[in-house]
């Protein structure tokens, strides 16, 4: 629901702040008073194209702020969340649009920058504007199927799931067919590649293992002679360790003769131990770096073949094992391709049949809903002086290529304005006044299913009066029990039905012309309706008639 509208420096409006409530509100005033400026200002906040000509002469920019009370469950809140906007539950939603005199504009939602596109998307969910030049909402055939589904309480969500299953099955089948076709085309290559890779039997991490083993053996070959010489110096009957042990045994007999000899013996024993440890380490290193020329050749050959195979298949050596499994699976699918394709074809056919059956059920429900909607709209036409017109909801099948998650039906509202005249789309054959009344008839018929929280009707009563104007007022009153309604009207019968009444007037102080809007109290309201009844000179008779209208 629109709760307030603040306008600054838009054409003839210098500063205007309006508060709104639920129910039916009427906006009246003499022709040229500026009612269109008010709607243009609201349109700016709802994402309408910004034009610098809207900026009041002498001002640098126009600013329009529209505030809405929106429940947390409203679809607009979900759209805002998807676009990263923070909107606290229970807090008002504030939309602001600024248009500069030198061109350009900017917008915000709850003080966060927003695009005009997002404003249009959110605005369409919050406010419906219906008038003689309406090009949205009920006039757009793209939305007619959704409106019919809401009216008939037709739930297309299960059909959407069936549609996705069908399309997924088709995708899987198409992929399998393409893969089989490619595999058959590459059968010879695939068979050779699988045989080659399987025979080689590459393992993950094998390259690193082989490279380390080859490096160790190559190092061992390079150091073999020096290590053997070192080992000869340490080991054997004439080696350093044997000589140390022999010297230690002889010194052991002499050590008691002098303290320094005992110290020498202790040092020699330590030397024997250290030399033995050095011998152990040397032997371990010799074992690790021992190399067999035949083994080295095998390792190098395996490593070169591994790397060459990886280059051939444009992958890494470590990925060869995974590639082998993948190509083996492709080859197996190719071998069993015929049976697999047949199974997928059966699954796809079953999924299509399930979708088609569900879509047929949905179409039947739409046909029934269309008949009920046609009857409901027909009941509203005569009181609106459209008794010669006929309305129908067309539900016709689409070609299979156009089937979708919402079904296989095209839905469009059509009218015939005169007996014998062909049916045609609403927007193509209705005159301005007729179009507004058709929209009202439709909105009344669809009212139980709701729509935007705020609806604005711009001069829906143009060209009618008396009983027809009263019928329009009565229907607007009914609609206002379901949603907030604002109506720009020249009809006293419609204005008298309103819960609140604003007067739009143009004032001139001798220098500047300004448009203002004022809320009317009971007395002022009676005077305005009397003016609408009698014209420039308000008579007592007009005042009395205005009072009678307000008593309804």
């Amino acid at each position: 629901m629109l709760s307030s509208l603040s306008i600054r420096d838009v054409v003839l409006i210098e500063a205007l702040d309006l508060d709104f409530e639920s129910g039916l509100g009427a906006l009246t005033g003499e022709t040229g008073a500026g009612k269109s400026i008010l709607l243009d200002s609201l349109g700016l906040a709802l994402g309408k194209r910004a034009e610098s000509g809207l900026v009041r002469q002498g001002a640098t920019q126009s600013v329009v702020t529209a505030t809405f009370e929106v429940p947390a469950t409203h679809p607009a809140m979900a759209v805002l969340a998807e676009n990263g906007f923070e909107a606290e539950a229970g807090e008002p939603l504030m939309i602001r649009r600024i248009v500069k005199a030198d061109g350009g504009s900017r917008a915000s939602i709850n003080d966060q920058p927003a695009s005009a596109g997002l404003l249009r998307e959110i605005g369409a969910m919050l406010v419906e504007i219906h008038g003689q030049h309406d090009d949205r909402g009920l006039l757009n055939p793209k939305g007619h199927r959704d409106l019919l589904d809401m009216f008939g309480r037709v739930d297309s969500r299960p059909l959407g799931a069936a549609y996705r299953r069908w399309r997924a099955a088709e995708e899987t089948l198409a992929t399998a067919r393409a893969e089989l076709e490619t595999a058959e085309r590459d059968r010879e290559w695939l068979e050779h590649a699988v045989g080659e890779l399987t025979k080689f039997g590459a393992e993950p991490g094998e390259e690193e293992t082989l490279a380390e083993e080859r490096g160790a053996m190559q190092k061992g070959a390079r150091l073999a002679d020096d290590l053997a010489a070192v080992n000869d110096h340490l080991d054997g009957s004439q080696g350093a360790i044997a000589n140390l042990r022999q010297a230690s045994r002889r010194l052991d007999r002499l050590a008691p003769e002098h303290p320094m000899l005992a110290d020498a013996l202790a040092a020699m024993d330590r030397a024997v131990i250290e030399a033995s440890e050095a011998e152990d380490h040397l032997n371990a290193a010799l074992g690790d770096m021992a190399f067999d020329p035949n083994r080295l050749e095998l390792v190098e050959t395996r490593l070169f073949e591994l790397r060459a195979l990886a280059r051939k298949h444009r992958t890494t050596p470590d990925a060869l094992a995974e590639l082998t499994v993948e190509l083996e699976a492709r080859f197996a699918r190719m071998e069993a391709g015929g049976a697999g394709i047949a199974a997928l074809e059966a699954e796809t056919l079953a999924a299509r049949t399930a979708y088609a059956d569900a879509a047929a059920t949905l179409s039947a429900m739409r046909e029934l809903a269309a008949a009920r909607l046609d009857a409901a709209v027909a009941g509203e036409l005569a009181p609106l002086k459209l008794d010669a017109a006929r309305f129908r909801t067309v539900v016709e099948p689409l070609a299979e290529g156009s089937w979708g998650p919402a079904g296989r039906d095209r839905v469009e509202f059509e009218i015939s304005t005169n007996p014998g005249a062909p049916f045609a789309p609403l927007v193509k054959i209705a005159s301005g006044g007729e179009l507004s009344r058709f929209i009202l008839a439709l909105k009344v018929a669809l009212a139980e299913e709701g729509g935007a929280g705020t609806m604005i009707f711009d001069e829906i009563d143009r060209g009618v009066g008396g009983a027809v104007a009263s019928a329009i007022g009565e229907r607007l009153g009914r609609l206002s029990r379901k949603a907030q309604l604002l109506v720009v009207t020249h009809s006293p019968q419609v204005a008298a039905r309103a819960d609140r009444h604003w007067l739009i007037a143009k004032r001139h102080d001798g220098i500047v012309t300004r448009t203002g809007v004022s809320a009317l109290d009971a007395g002022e309201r009676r005077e305005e309706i009397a003016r609408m009844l009698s014209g420039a000179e308000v008579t007592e008779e007009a005042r009395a008639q205005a009072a009678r209208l307000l008593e309804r």
Side-chain angles (χ1 to χ4, degrees), residues 179-420:
E179 189 175 279
L180 181 60
E181 183 180 341
T182 302
E184 287 291 349
R185 191 168 57 244
D186 300 333
R187 171 183 279 275
E188 185 177 342
W189 174 87
L190 185 61
E191 189 171 6
H192 171 75
V194 169
E196 181 182 45
L197 289 168
T198 304
K199 181 180 179 181
F200 189 84
E203 297 179 359
E206 185 177 2
E207 181 192 29
E208 184 179 358
T209 301
L210 290 172
E212 287 179 353
E213 184 179 356
R214 183 185 67 165
M217 285 194 291
Q218 287 175 333
K219 187 181 293 184
R222 190 174 67 251
L223 301 177
D225 292 342
D226 290 336
L227 291 176
V230 172
N231 192 47
D232 288 343
H233 285 308
L234 287 176
D235 203 4
S237 59
Q238 298 301 317
I241 296 176
N243 289 330
L244 278 172
R245 285 173 178 159
Q246 186 176 357
S248 178
R249 284 194 296 271
R250 182 169 291 184
L251 187 58
D252 185 49
R253 293 194 299 273
L254 301 175
E257 301 298 329
H258 193 281
M260 294 298 291
L261 294 175
D263 291 341
L265 176 62
M268 193 169 293
D269 287 341
R270 290 196 298 275
V272 170
I273 294 171
E274 292 288 341
S276 297
E277 289 182 2
E279 182 182 30
D280 292 340
H281 290 314
L282 180 61
N283 288 331
L286 284 168
D288 287 345
M289 289 189 291
F291 95 101
D292 176 356
N294 293 330
R295 174 62 185 167
L296 177 59
E297 184 178 356
L298 288 173
V299 168
E300 287 186 328
T301 300
R302 176 75 177 178
L303 184 59
F304 292 153
E305 289 178 350
L306 178 69
R307 289 172 174 171
L309 198 58
R311 286 194 298 273
K312 179 179 179 180
H313 289 282
R314 298 179 181 180
T315 187
T316 63
D318 281 348
L320 281 174
E322 184 178 348
L323 178 64
T324 303
V325 173
E326 179 185 331
L327 293 182
E328 285 175 340
R330 275 182 61 185
F331 189 73
R333 286 197 298 272
M334 182 186 67
E335 291 295 289
I341 293 294
L344 290 174
E345 286 175 341
E347 289 177 17
T348 302
L349 178 59
R352 182 197 178 283
T353 301
Y355 169 82
D357 290 345
T361 300
L362 202 67
S363 297
M365 295 172 66
R366 284 178 175 146
E367 292 281 1
L368 292 174
R372 290 196 294 111
L373 179 59
D374 292 352
V377 173
E380 299 294 332
L381 295 180
L384 295 174
K385 205 177 180 180
L386 296 169
D387 44 310
R390 291 174 297 151
F391 172 88
R392 73 177 182 185
T393 305
V394 176
V395 181
E396 60 183 23
L398 293 166
E400 184 167 333
S402 299
W403 292 2
R408 58 184 192 181
D409 307 309
R410 183 187 76 86
V411 177
E412 185 169 0
F413 301 147
E414 294 184 344
I415 60 168
S416 167
T417 53
N418 296 297

Side-chain angles (χ1 to χ4, degrees), residues 124-137:
M125 296 178 179
L126 298 173
V127 180
E128 291 179 13
I129 299 178
H130 300 292
Q132 296 185 58
H133 305 292
D134 186 9
D135 60 355
R136 304 186 303 166

